[in-house]
Amino acid sequence: MLKIILPTMMLMPLTWASKPNMIWINTTAYSLLISLISLTYLNQLSDNSQNFSMLFFTDSLSAPLLALTTWLLPLTLMASQFHLSKETLTRKKLYITMLILLQLFLIMTFSAMELILFYILFEATLMPTLVIITRWGNQTERLNAGLYFLFYTLVGSLPLLIALLHTQNNLGSLNFLMMQYWTQPLPNSWSSAFLWLACMMAFMVKMPLYGLHLWLPKAHVEAPIAGSMVLAAVLLKLGGYGMMRITTLLGPLTSSMAYPFMMLSLWGMIMTSSICLRQTDLKSLIAYSSVSHMALVIVAVLIQTPWSYMGATALMIAHGLTSSMLFCLANSNYERIHSRTMILARGLQTLLPLMAAWWLLASLTNLALPPTINLIGELFVVVATFSWSNTTIALTGTNIIITALYSLYMLITTQRGKYTDHVKSIKPSFTRENALMALHLLPLLLLSLNPKMILGPIY
Amino acid sequence: MSFPKYESSRLATQPATLDPAEYNVSPEARKAQAERLAIRSRLKREYLLHYNDPSRQGLIEDPALIRWTYARSANIYPNFRPTPKTSLLGALFGFGPLFFWFYVFKTDRDKKEKLIQEGKLDRTLSISY
């Protein structure tokens, strides 16, 4: 694991010491190399974990997320080049340093072997993200967005700290390897209910759960492109990953305590998908679509069946790539017309046909078209919830339909029809942008050929 | 042959010169029409000036559109006031469905659990759970 962590840490001196015209090239190239190293972890040979030290390990659950995280850093760097081009050199280097710091914390979070280490790094990821959102966002609402983001997550995760410390007192160690053997079933009492709530609320806020999702549209919309990409693709998955890890401690209580959150997620899926149909702001639409997809993951993690865990893992990876790609596409629109309103940039297919192809593919993966991994994830989760209770198919089926509706609505509004008159003078697509979309889509399509590596430890 | 009198459809209005009500309009209404026409032509003139401006880069800012998107996205809560009606609507449509679905799923699952405990549910071929 040090072979990933140390190079990522050294990317920071690299940015500060590079010549001004080489900062982007150096960081993008070296971060791509680091991501190639992390791809080796995808070769999980058994259902045990690969333990590197007492602190770090990779599992078939954390390896795909790790690969996603490291893959995303070069992509975020490529996406940020344009909007930072007018900043001073120091600010550019600061921005890149924030991204690298965030990447470092994320890598360590996904490979942490101990829950307290995981918690510390989980909180640490908030700081670079907050700086990125509040300093480099575009509108004045970014301050409010940063506030919501920070305090929702902090308030949710403070009980988690207390719960983890209490559990460590009881069990002696929170190391993942030993947790599997030492956990006892939680007794049926009020204090276990509070323990369950304390453990889960942090991740519920992060995912986000429907009732606690207010920070997400604000943070995603106000963040600059790299912030949106990392938020949507990786930080949300921290919640899912944390939930899957911590439910090992929470015994048989989950089957009864999970009901309110299941209801919130199942109903919230439909609510947020429906809100997507009424959005005028493009980034806001993609943000609400993230809430909807993550609600499926919450449902999957709470019912705790083999198929649902496989679906949750696949859905997390698939959604990470798809959502990040959609934000990049929205950003390519924003850089040209400086407005996020969807109806202002219509009919782009006539003007930018290659970008229209990427829009089409991103929308198709967002609506879970077979044989992409999005479909595999969603299908596994839907089938598992059907076996949990037959009536859920009404809700999940409606959600799939509405997802298709708003994905196609977004596609048709931005691509089809007659272009708006003032859009004729936009810049053509840069090679950098096309490369960005291709690099997002390539793992997505390749994983459709071999999805077993993202199906998690249950496969 | 006498044809029935022409009636315009709801969405396709008659031109003003064919509408008999046009000829009996009061002077105040005429003044209002003239004011509206003045506003419209000023806006159209501004739009055309922006549209044909050779040094324009990018889109024409429409303050009405900006205000509309702001009102739709970022200005909702400052204009919200909790009244009995909004509280009732919020409780009904916000919490109501949650309790409804909780009731639905709890009864369904308890029924299934009872069948399983009695051994009556056939789960021999269930592999996708």
Side-chain angles (χ1 to χ4, degrees):
Chain A
M1 190 46 67
L2 273 184
K3 60 180 177 280
I4 297 189
I5 296 178
L6 278 181
T8 313
M9 213 148 53
M10 295 309 285
L11 279 177
M12 287 192 271
L14 177 69
T15 57
W16 287 97
S18 294
K19 289 202 278 261
N21 58 349
M22 289 294 280
I23 36 173
W24 295 109
I25 304 175
N26 279 342
T27 44
T28 318
Y30 283 108
S31 47
L32 259 176
L33 283 177
I34 297 175
S35 71
L36 288 181
I37 302 177
S38 76
L39 286 181
T40 58
Y41 294 139
L42 285 175
N43 184 24
Q44 297 279 328
L45 293 170
S46 67
D47 60 355
N48 259 337
S49 49
Q50 269 183 344
N51 306 318
F52 300 109
S53 75
M54 288 308 290
L55 290 174
F56 298 116
F57 82 129
T58 52
D59 193 352
S60 11
L61 172 57
S62 61
L65 289 166
L66 201 60
L68 179 67
T69 315
T70 49
W71 185 248
L72 225 72
L73 182 62
L75 266 50
T76 53
L77 288 169
M78 276 164 53
S80 314
Q81 276 186 13
F82 182 78
H83 78 92
L84 287 180
S85 53
K86 298 205 176 54
E87 302 253 4
T88 59
L89 188 63
T90 319
R91 293 219 188 106
K92 279 191 226 181
K93 291 184 176 173
L94 258 177
Y95 189 81
I96 301 178
T97 312
M98 286 295 122
L99 281 178
I100 296 172
L101 205 60
L102 180 59
Q103 172 81 333
L104 189 64
F105 291 144
L106 282 170
I107 291 174
M108 291 207 280
T109 318
F110 281 125
S111 53
M113 199 187 234
E114 237 239 309
L115 271 177
I116 303 270
L117 180 66
F118 172 80
Y119 175 79
I120 295 174
L121 294 163
F122 180 78
E123 298 298 299
T125 57
L126 290 180
M127 287 328 289
T129 322
L130 183 71
V131 173
I132 292 176
I133 295 177
T134 49
R135 172 63 183 80
W136 276 283
N138 283 318
Q139 273 76 36
T140 53
E141 286 91 14
R142 67 184 191 269
L143 305 168
N144 203 10
L147 216 68
Y148 265 71
F149 168 67
L150 184 70
F151 283 106
Y152 264 70
T153 320
L154 279 181
V155 167
S157 58
L158 193 59
L160 175 64
L161 177 65
I162 301 174
L164 285 179
L165 292 174
H166 164 84
T167 319
Q168 177 163 33
N169 257 348
N170 279 356
L171 289 182
S173 157
L174 285 174
N175 205 318
F176 280 130
L177 294 179
M178 296 194 256
M179 238 166 48
Q180 308 168 24
Y181 303 111
W182 285 6
T183 50
Q184 294 138 357
L186 281 182
N188 205 353
S189 66
W190 277 102
S191 54
S192 330
F194 279 117
L195 183 72
W196 193 95
L197 274 178
C199 287
M200 293 295 246
M201 284 323 286
F203 305 116
M204 294 291 182
V205 170
K206 199 80 176 170
M207 290 254 15
L209 182 66
Y210 172 58
L212 306 161
H213 68 291
L214 283 182
W215 64 271
L216 186 126
K218 289 187 202 287
H220 274 114
V221 165
E222 304 302 331
I225 178 60
S228 287
M229 283 168 74
V230 167
L231 261 174
V234 189
L235 286 176
L236 264 51
K237 318 311 183 258
L238 270 182
Y241 174 74
M243 258 207 281
M244 288 168 111
R245 290 290 185 210
I246 213 148
T247 42
T248 50
L249 286 177
L250 297 172
L253 202 56
T254 312
S255 46
S256 56
M257 286 285 308
Y259 273 96
F261 302 101
M262 292 277 303
M263 300 308 123
L264 276 171
S265 297
L266 284 169
W267 184 240
M269 273 192 313
I270 300 185
M271 284 286 104
T272 44
S273 308
S274 317
I275 290 180
C276 283
L277 286 171
R278 295 287 297 160
Q279 285 296 324
T280 47
D281 185 334
L282 186 55
K283 276 180 94 163
S284 194
L285 195 152
I286 306 172
Y288 276 109
S289 124
S290 286
V291 181
S292 171
H293 287 282
M294 285 297 113
L296 264 176
V297 175
I298 297 182
V299 164
V301 174
L302 286 176
I303 60 179
Q304 295 188 306
T305 70
W307 272 44
S308 79
Y309 265 41
M310 286 201 271
T313 336
L315 198 52
M316 285 201 283
I317 305 292
H319 173 260
L321 290 166
T322 309
S323 195
S324 179
M325 184 170 180
L326 281 171
F327 274 116
C328 286
L329 289 167
N331 185 55
S332 74
N333 257 7
Y334 183 79
E335 283 172 2
R336 284 171 174 76
I337 61 174
H338 296 288
S339 167
R340 290 193 303 261
T341 318
M342 264 199 297
I343 50 179
L344 280 181
R346 307 191 295 271
L348 291 177
Q349 189 165 4
T350 14
L351 302 164
L352 304 173
L354 185 55
M355 202 48 87
W358 302 126
W359 270 102
L360 178 71
L361 288 169
S363 300
L364 290 180
T365 49
N366 196 25
L367 58 88
L369 192 75
T372 59
I373 44 180
N374 295 276
L375 176 80
I376 295 176
E378 270 193 41
L379 201 60
F380 277 30
V381 173
V382 168
V383 168
T385 48
F386 180 71
S387 85
W388 183 78
S389 164
N390 290 10
T391 336
T392 50
I393 195 76
L395 294 170
T396 46
T398 317
N399 181 48
I400 293 184
I401 296 177
I402 305 184
T403 305
L405 282 175
Y406 71 69
S407 300
L408 291 176
Y409 166 64
M410 180 174 61
L411 180 70
I412 292 175
T413 315
T414 50
Q415 304 302 116
R416 306 294 159 103
K418 177 154 189 331
Y419 48 81
T420 43
D421 288 315
H422 47 244
V423 141
K424 278 187 286 205
S425 58
I426 55 174
K427 299 188 273 276
S429 315
F430 298 111
T431 312
R432 173 185 61 87
E433 290 174 346
N434 288 324
L436 196 60
M437 308 308 160
L439 283 177
H440 271 112
L441 205 54
L442 199 65
L444 205 57
L445 297 178
L446 284 178
L447 279 172
S448 316
L449 298 175
N450 191 7
K452 68 171 190 286
M453 60 175 96
I454 52 164
L455 285 179
I458 315 284
Y459 178 75
Chain B
M1 280 189 290
S2 73
F3 295 99
K5 188 169 179 327
Y6 172 73
E7 277 168 12
S8 58
S9 65
R10 191 169 61 89
L11 294 173
T13 50
Q14 280 182 330
T17 45
L18 285 180
D19 186 8
E22 166 74 9
Y23 295 98
N24 308 330
V25 166
S26 59
E28 291 88 21
R30 282 266 178 253
K31 209 154 54 130
Q33 276 181 352
E35 279 171 12
R36 287 198 294 265
L37 183 63
I39 295 174
R40 264 205 317 273
S41 21
R42 174 177 61 81
L43 286 173
K44 181 163 182 178
R45 188 181 177 75
E46 284 173 11
Y47 178 77
L48 285 176
L49 275 175
H50 279 297
Y51 185 67
N52 295 317
D53 183 5
S55 64
R56 173 176 64 92
Q57 287 267 48
L59 46 75
I60 302 168
E61 284 159 10
D62 180 8
L65 188 67
I66 297 177
R67 282 202 306 269
W68 179 70
T69 48
Y70 180 68
R72 271 181 71 101
S73 54
N75 205 26
I76 306 178
Y77 183 61
N79 296 331
F80 172 74
R81 199 184 38 185
T83 67
K85 176 178 170 194
T86 61
S87 314
L88 182 68
L89 281 176
L92 203 61
F93 289 107
F95 293 117
L98 299 174
F99 290 125
F100 168 71
W101 289 113
F102 174 74
Y103 176 69
V104 164
F105 290 125
K106 199 90 173 72
T107 44
D108 182 49
R109 275 179 59 82
D110 288 343
K111 235 185 317 181
K112 207 156 111 170
E113 184 67 26
K114 200 161 83 74
L115 284 180
I116 292 176
Q117 299 284 10
E118 291 167 4
K120 288 203 191 108
L121 192 64
D122 181 22
R123 290 185 299 174
T124 48
L125 295 176
S126 165
I127 55 170
S128 59
Y129 62 95

